[in-house]
Amino acid sequence: MTTLEHGYDTRSRILEAARQLFAERGYAATSLADIASAVGLTKTAVAYHFHPKDRLAAELIAPAAEDIVALFETGFDGERAFVEALVTFTVRHRAIVRLIMEDISGADDAPPGSPGEVIRAFRDAIYTRLAAPDADPGRRVRAWALLGALQGVVVKTIDLPEEVVREHLLTAASALYGPSA
């Protein structure tokens, strides 16, 4: 194995360990030392690849960000198809959702240029897609209920298989948006 390949393998191992630890404990409760221990490296070795810790989080979030942009750019045949795609996205990226949950709570007050502002923009875009700008009260409640369920359920069920979580979230979405959501 070349040095370059070894470095890539080390980065991959660090990313996977970070993804798991962030999903289990949360971003703030996971240190570079915790990640290093999980991978069998020193904290210095992890910091060589990812310092500060925000760079690690940004690299983990990037694929989910690309998928959410693709979700918004896709034309869906109706609200139910979008809801199903949103549930699938959220379950697939639940470790990342868990990672950003700490920032979601402060998103409404996040300053310009902060990660919270980006999270707020995505959340508001999803809400607008679900509720429409001039939505009646019932549709607004359904949209916020689905967003709340997606945020909460994927974090609290990280230990369950993806297919189980997706199936039950789709059932809950059906209760909000009709049978084939």
Side-chain angles (χ1 to χ4, degrees), residues 56-126:
L56 183 56
E59 194 157 331
L60 288 172
I61 291 170
E66 291 171 10
D67 284 355
I68 196 81
V69 168
L71 183 72
F72 286 125
E73 292 176 348
T74 300
F76 291 96
D77 291 333
E79 180 178 72
R80 291 182 194 140
F82 175 71
V83 168
E84 184 171 336
L86 179 61
V87 166
T88 299
F89 162 83
T90 306
V91 173
R92 179 182 319 124
H93 293 292
R94 62 190 172 151
I96 302 308
V97 171
R98 171 68 170 100
L99 170 63
I100 63 174
M101 280 302 292
E102 296 162 359
D103 290 325
I104 288 176
S105 62
D108 287 327
D109 302 319
S114 69
E117 180 188 36
V118 173
I119 291 166
R120 179 180 61 232
F122 279 121
R123 182 206 60 202
D124 292 350
I126 292 168

Side-chain angles (χ1 to χ4, degrees), residues 9 13 18 28 34 50 53 77 97 112 131 149 178:
D9 181 53
R13 290 178 31 234
D34 295 331
F50 298 101
K53 186 170 78 167
D77 291 333
V97 171

